[in-house]
Amino acid sequence: MGRQPCCDKVGLKKGPWTAEEDRKLMNFILTNGQCCWRAVPKLAGLLRCGKRCRLRWTNYLRPDLKRGLLSDYEEKMVIDLHSQLGNRWSKIASHLPGRTDNEIKNHWNTHIKKKLRKMGIDPLTHKPLSIVEQEDEEPVKKLQKVQMPLQEPAEKNFEEPTSYCLTKESNNTKNTSRLEESLDDDQFNAMNLEYGVEDVPLIDPESLELICSNSTMSSSTSTPSNSSNDSSFLKDLQFPDFEWSDYGNSNNNDGVDNIIENNMMSLWDVDDFSSWDLLLSSTFGLV
DNA sequence: AAGCGCCCCAACCGCTCGGCT
DNA sequence: AAGCCGAGCGGTTGGGGCGCT
């Protein structure tokens, strides 16, 4: 069936929004709230279709929007969320308060993609490029080993990321306890009041550094076999001292194979956050 | 100063999803 | 169950800004 256009396009204005249009839309939404978007242009006196009004509001006019470039911390979050969710920009955006899917998508396409490639990581699969290239050469092997399409890393065992879960009810006791140790009760309760499991607040970078430095201490005793595996890609990439954690399989003693099986690497699984900072600074001058 | 090319991001387009009848 | 419709999502585009020659 042929889809009807979202609105009658005859006589509608296109292109950049004027300050006057912004003001009208802003006034209308602030006064009346977000109702049926199709009706908004008429009621607000705008020559735009409802869909454009909604986009303008969500991407530009919303008062809770943050402006400016994504911080290093936000960038790290985007990368990790992307490794788990794929190109689900709105899902990713929902974990970054004040950021829009459009903004994150743009930032990904213009900045993060390049940075990851520079680091030798394939932005699509979040796997080292050397492995991706190998797989391209040997498609049969790839299928046997990975058993899922490379384009959609998130589709296999998709779960909402639990690493950011800040509720005390969380089953993820490891992460919860890290946070409980690092934040005092007031901070923790404030987060709990404001956000549910799905709505994850932005943690202050300083708090995060604290969390991660604590976890470094505890992780130093864990799974030495992970870092001592003889797979070559880490050496090839000359990364700083990474430890690749198990991804949902605590009995797996080969970190690299585990990464391949899960078809992703998570920066949040880098136990030592300072190593990540070091990587960023050594690779493209961040931090 | 002018021309050119590149980069970035706001905006657009078209498809999908989910609720309703 | 099928169709309609509003809303949301993700990919793409176009134009403005900026640096370089």
Side-chain angles (χ1 to χ4, degrees):
Chain A
M1 70 184 162
R3 181 167 172 72
Q4 286 189 340
C6 68
C7 46
D8 180 10
K9 292 184 177 177
V10 180
L12 289 185
K13 193 168 178 286
K14 288 176 74 172
W17 283 64
T18 64
E20 175 66 11
E21 287 176 309
D22 281 346
R23 192 187 55 76
K24 279 183 182 175
L25 180 58
M26 190 97 158
N27 281 344
F28 180 81
I29 300 293
L30 292 178
T31 310
N32 302 288
Q34 295 177 56
C35 62
C36 169
W37 283 108
R38 186 169 282 223
V40 166
K42 235 178 198 174
L43 298 172
L46 290 162
L47 289 171
R48 301 274 184 173
C49 80
K51 193 172 173 177
R52 305 278 157 261
C53 292
R54 179 177 59 80
L55 283 174
R56 184 64 178 173
W57 172 257
T58 54
N59 288 336
Y60 195 81
L61 296 176
R62 255 169 51 201
D64 60 322
L65 284 180
K66 279 187 194 172
R67 300 286 174 167
L69 283 173
L70 271 72
S71 66
D72 292 346
Y73 169 68
E74 287 174 307
E75 212 167 76
K76 287 169 195 170
M77 252 185 113
V78 170
I79 293 168
D80 188 55
L81 287 166
H82 185 271
S83 76
Q84 299 178 58
L85 300 168
N87 289 1
R88 292 171 180 158
W89 304 115
S90 60
K91 273 271 178 191
I92 294 172
S94 70
H95 291 278
L96 292 160
R99 300 295 188 181
T100 67
D101 54 349
N102 206 35
E103 192 177 11
I104 291 170
K105 182 172 60 183
N106 282 331
H107 191 76
W108 177 269
N109 287 327
T110 54
H111 294 104
I112 301 179
K113 257 186 176 177
K114 288 178 196 168
K115 286 178 182 177
L116 287 178
R117 286 209 184 94
K118 262 190 181 179
M119 292 162 63
I121 295 171
D122 180 48
L124 269 179
T125 62
H126 292 258
K127 293 164 67 177
L129 281 171
S130 55
I131 287 185
V132 174
E133 282 160 14
Q134 246 182 342
E135 285 168 348
D136 287 344
E137 286 165 17
E138 299 175 280
V140 179
K141 271 191 181 176
K142 177 186 77 180
L143 280 172
Q144 285 171 346
K145 193 147 197 173
V146 179
Q147 294 185 330
M148 65 179 289
L150 280 173
Q151 300 299 321
E152 298 182 307
E155 294 300 323
K156 187 186 169 192
N157 288 323
F158 171 69
E159 288 173 9
E160 284 294 322
T162 54
S163 307
Y164 319 109
C165 199
L166 297 179
T167 59
K168 290 196 177 185
E169 292 77 17
S170 165
N171 290 328
N172 192 338
T173 51
K174 182 181 165 191
N175 289 313
T176 305
S177 62
R178 279 191 204 173
L179 282 162
E180 283 177 352
E181 281 167 19
S182 311
L183 305 173
D184 62 41
D185 279 346
D186 285 343
Q187 284 174 301
F188 196 95
N189 290 336
M191 288 175 167
N192 263 346
L193 280 175
E194 223 170 323
Y195 301 95
V197 173
E198 295 260 337
D199 305 317
V200 182
L202 203 58
I203 309 169
D204 180 68
E206 276 78 9
S207 306
L208 190 79
E209 299 249 330
L210 185 63
I211 295 163
C212 293
S213 62
N214 286 343
S215 70
T216 305
M217 305 284 282
S218 59
S219 70
S220 60
T221 55
S222 68
T223 59
S225 57
N226 278 1
S227 55
S228 61
N229 69 69
D230 55 0
S231 298
S232 61
F233 78 84
L234 282 177
K235 291 170 197 166
D236 290 343
L237 290 172
Q238 298 183 324
F239 276 9
D241 249 2
F242 275 111
E243 286 188 2
W244 305 99
S245 73
D246 285 347
Y247 226 107
N249 180 0
S250 57
N251 294 324
N252 189 341
N253 60 3
D254 187 330
V256 175
D257 271 356
N258 194 36
I259 288 160
I260 293 167
E261 277 172 22
N262 286 283
N263 204 28
M264 63 174 122
M265 298 191 310
S266 170
L267 298 171
W268 289 92
D269 283 336
V270 177
D271 286 332
D272 187 350
F273 213 69
S274 61
S275 294
W276 170 240
D277 284 345
L278 184 61
L279 174 64
L280 287 176
S281 59
S282 62
T283 310
F284 40 82
L286 287 175
V287 183

